[in-house]
Amino acid sequence: MLKPSILLILLLLFCSELITAQVKISSWNLQNFGKTKSESEINYVADVLNEFDVVALQEIVAGFGGTQAVAKLADALNRKGAKWDYAVSDPTESTPYATERYAFLWKTAKVKREGRAWLDRNYVAEIDREPYMMDFNFKGQSFTLVSFHAIPKKKQPETEIKYFKFLPGKYPDKNLVFLGDFNIPQSHTVFNPLKKAGYLSVLVDQKTTMKMECVGEECLASEYDNIFYNSGKLKSLNFGVKLIYKSFPNMKAVRRISDHIPVWAEFEFSSEEGQCQ
């Protein structure tokens, strides 16, 4: 018969497993995905993304080729040992030159979708490419990804991002995770309202766009892509970027994949209900 102390240790270990969940999320601007990517390039993208549980993609072309490319990417991921599902947005309500789609992909054994994804229309008149949102559930813990591709830096993306401070109030019951290509660094003051509300960026002083050519060992240009999470609801366990240019002979070759590198973060979701009390 087990001693009470051993039973307590086993119970604590079991409860810890029940009330803690970890999910690995990635975001990647794939630069005209659906227009310029060959089968071998799509397979490379699948190799890069296969380690994650859920992925947010930006800059999917608005035409049929964008949706078709995401379907091919999901098929390539499905051939790597895990079952993936995906969702592609309608074209954004943008000026013709800027309209595009977003996409989410996820491992169905790890993450469950909750309802349909949607393009947020709260500030569709103020934001050129309105964010794409989707509710997910990971081992009983719900979270909502808010994927976004801001207007270029020269067009002042802060004029769009300033509306993000209102979204937690628009969705008070959702655990929002903002991610994507913001075209400005996390240090910009436009993010201060989110930070004051408890949102943190996983990356700080990390460049995520690639130069046309490396200058010595420096191949990255700007700090644009990031993931912002509610530190009151999530704990960042690990994070980073994928230095994809190291897999190619030169910058011209890697920029056929994208001019951005993927960013990622692993989060812990802790239950507030105390399932093992």
Side-chain angles (χ1 to χ4, degrees), residues 142-268:
S142 295
F143 62 100
T144 302
L145 296 187
V146 184
S147 181
F148 183 60
H149 183 198
I151 54 178
K153 185 178 181 180
K154 64 183 179 181
K155 292 183 177 291
Q156 298 181 305
E158 60 270 23
T159 60
E160 298 183 323
I161 295 169
K162 67 181 182 182
Y163 292 98
F164 280 20
K165 65 185 176 185
F166 300 119
L167 289 183
K170 296 288 186 181
Y171 300 99
D173 299 324
K174 296 186 184 297
N175 182 7
L176 302 181
V177 178
F178 298 90
L179 72 175
D181 173 10
F182 300 98
N183 274 316
I184 52 174
Q186 59 78 33
S187 57
H188 195 286
T189 56
V190 74
F191 292 112
N192 285 351
L194 280 179
K195 292 177 180 178
K196 289 178 180 177
Y199 285 82
L200 300 177
S201 65
V202 297
L203 301 176
V204 176
D205 297 329
Q206 172 63 61
K207 295 176 180 178
T208 60
T209 65
M210 289 180 284
K211 294 177 178 289
M212 295 297 293
E213 296 290 344
C214 295
V215 179
E217 296 296 316
E218 183 56 70
C219 301
L220 298 177
S222 301
E223 183 189 348
Y224 284 170
D225 304 80
N226 220 318
I227 301 173
F228 291 82
Y229 66 99
N230 187 332
S231 60
K233 296 182 178 180
L234 303 176
K235 179 181 179 181
S236 175
L237 299 178
N238 203 0
F239 55 86
V241 297
K242 302 286 284 187
L243 301 178
I244 60 171
Y245 56 86
K246 292 188 175 182
S247 301
F248 292 82
N250 53 59
M251 295 302 283
K252 182 178 180 180
V254 69
R255 286 172 66 92
R256 286 199 290 267
I257 300 294
S258 181
D259 54 352
H260 291 247
I261 59 175
V263 302
W264 63 271
E266 186 174 24
F267 294 110
E268 179 180 271

Side-chain angles (χ1 to χ4, degrees), residues 28-37 41 45 57-61 69 100-101 149 181 210 212 225 244 251-261:
W28 197 359
N29 177 328
L30 272 177
Q31 191 187 17
N32 292 323
F33 192 63
K35 181 179 180 181
T36 59
K37 306 298 185 291
E41 289 165 344
V45 171
L57 301 179
Q58 302 87 39
E59 208 168 313
I60 311 299
V61 299
E100 60 186 51
R101 300 178 191 265
H149 183 198
D181 173 10
M210 289 180 284
M212 295 297 293
D225 304 80
I244 60 171
M251 295 302 283
K252 182 178 180 180
V254 69
R255 286 172 66 92
R256 286 199 290 267
I257 300 294
S258 181
D259 54 352
H260 291 247
I261 59 175

Side-chain angles (χ1 to χ4, degrees), residues 129-145:
R129 291 180 287 246
E130 63 272 30
Y132 190 44
M133 302 177 64
M134 189 167 184
D135 297 326
F136 293 93
N137 189 287
F138 184 78
K139 294 185 178 180
Q141 305 292 331
S142 295
F143 62 100
T144 302
L145 296 187

Side-chain angles (χ1 to χ4, degrees), residues 2-48:
L2 291 174
K3 295 180 179 180
S5 59
I6 297 177
L7 284 172
L8 179 60
I9 292 171
L10 291 175
L11 180 62
L12 289 172
L13 289 172
F14 175 71
C15 289
S16 176
E17 175 65 21
L18 277 180
I19 66 177
T20 301
Q22 299 170 2
V23 62
K24 199 170 185 181
I25 299 170
S26 179
S27 175
W28 197 359
N29 177 328
L30 272 177
Q31 191 187 17
N32 292 323
F33 192 63
K35 181 179 180 181
T36 59
K37 306 298 185 291
S38 67
E39 182 176 349
S40 63
E41 289 165 344
I42 288 175
N43 286 334
Y44 174 79
V45 171
D47 286 336
V48 172

